[in-house]
Amino acid sequence: MTHPDIHFELRGDHQEVAVIRLTRAAKRNALNDGLILALRDLFEQMPSTVRAAVIDGDGPHFCAGLDLSELKERDAGQGLHHSRMWHAALERVQYGPVPVIAALHGAVVGGGLELASACHIRVADESTFYALPEGSRGIFVGGGGAVRIPKLIGAARMTDMMLTGRVYNAQDGEKVGFAQYLVPEGQAFDKAFELAVRVAQNAPLTNYALMHALPRIAEQPADQGFFTEAMMAAIAQSAPEAKSRLADFLEGRAAKVRKD
Ligand code: 1HE
């Protein structure tokens, strides 16, 4: 499960949070084929103690996207398979075993933004900036960005980013929906880890429903969405864990909802 450019460790009282760090800082964590395949393998082989994951990057930037030095002359078929390889890897992130929280700083560009978009929560620090330089490199997104990025910020904003090279800073990126949390510089990992510990305490079936059912329901016509929701609700509430958590609340043992 190890790769020279990935640091992997388990943290938390019960080894319940996986920390995944891209450690190719000299190349700004640019993702070559080996790294993408290693990320796929890592999510496929996640230890069973893990309930949530944090992904971040070493050095001044989260990720510079596709390793452009590997962009060889590819024919159409090879290009198709290369893009499908990214799809397979990032699907393992989005539809893998546990929720993934991206801790962002510096450049989150091209394929780096596609990786961040496959995660379930994004925490950005104030040094973060977002761009899709594919437009100026004469290529197109190929790592699922055409599907996932419009869901975060809308197709019109993504089109503008790719046509004009527009770069969003951390504040504007949070406003348009790239990140759900904006924190002072240097604090993205700590905030992401704190959230991961909290996410890891949820019933696993609830987390599963949020990761696997919610995005599919969002794609369905309302009538089918309501039906899928009802099925998922019935399955989740029938789990023993749900019953014991409800009993805890009704018998005064569980935390109440309080504003921060
Ligand atoms: C790279 C890459 C890379 C840096 N592939 N080697 N992505 C891009 O078009 C972004 C290209 N990168 C940049 O714009 C900048 O490097 C950054 C804004 C990310 C960082 O700037 P900076 O000044 O901190 O670093 P640097 O000096 O530009 O880069 C340090 C080294 O990393 C340098 O190599 P060196 O051998 O000269 O030291 C850079 O060449 C190298 N480097 N980024 C390869 N991307 C599934 S399809 C997805 C399609 C895409 O992602 S396209 C967008 C690609």
Side-chain angles (χ1 to χ4, degrees), residues 22-44:
L22 304 172
T23 57
R24 201 181 178 218
K27 295 291 178 188
R28 306 310 187 235
N29 298 318
L31 297 166
N32 54 29
D33 289 1
L35 254 174
I36 279 292
L37 291 172
L39 277 176
R40 180 201 64 189
D41 293 348
L42 200 151
F43 279 88
E44 272 172 4

Side-chain angles (χ1 to χ4, degrees), residues 5 20-31 35 55-65 102-110 112-113 115-116 123 125-131 167-168 185-186 188:
D5 294 327
I20 299 154
R21 179 161 298 139
L22 304 172
T23 57
R24 201 181 178 218
K27 295 291 178 188
R28 306 310 187 235
N29 298 318
L31 297 166
L35 254 174
I55 185 161
D56 76 346
D58 249 358
H61 303 286
F62 173 71
C63 177
L104 307 177
H105 72 291
V108 182
V109 304
L113 181 50
L115 169 60
V123 178
D125 85 5
E126 278 166 356
S127 71
T128 307
F129 57 97
Y130 309 87
V167 178
Y168 279 88
E185 189 165 342

Side-chain angles (χ1 to χ4, degrees), residues 7 28 50-51 53 56 93 98 105 125 176 193 202 246:
H7 171 80
R28 306 310 187 235
V50 174
R51 295 281 176 269
D56 76 346
V93 176
V98 294
H105 72 291
D125 85 5
V176 298
F193 185 77
N202 292 338
L246 293 173

Side-chain angles (χ1 to χ4, degrees), residues 26-28 30 61 64 66-68 86 110-111 114 133-134 137 142-143:
K27 295 291 178 188
R28 306 310 187 235
H61 303 286
L66 176 71
D67 186 330
L68 294 170
W86 270 67
E114 295 184 292
E134 286 88 340
R137 311 260 181 255

Side-chain angles (χ1 to χ4, degrees), residues 129-219:
F129 57 97
Y130 309 87
L132 290 168
E134 286 88 340
S136 62
R137 311 260 181 255
I139 53 178
F140 190 58
V141 281
V147 171
R148 294 192 183 98
I149 295 171
K151 292 199 167 103
L152 296 179
I153 63 166
R157 287 198 185 94
M158 179 174 175
T159 306
D160 172 38
M161 287 176 81
M162 293 197 70
L163 285 176
T164 67
R166 180 172 180 167
V167 178
Y168 279 88
N169 66 24
Q171 285 77 19
D172 291 341
E174 192 233 357
K175 277 190 208 130
V176 298
F178 277 128
Q180 287 70 54
Y181 296 85
L182 179 59
V183 295
E185 189 165 342
Q187 294 182 21
F189 178 82
D190 288 349
K191 180 68 183 177
F193 185 77
E194 175 199 319
L195 294 171
V197 169
R198 207 181 302 169
V199 166
Q201 289 165 13
N202 292 338
L205 204 53
T206 302
N207 282 351
Y208 182 88
L210 286 165
M211 293 171 63
H212 291 262
L214 194 58
R216 291 183 166 97
I217 291 170
E219 301 284 315

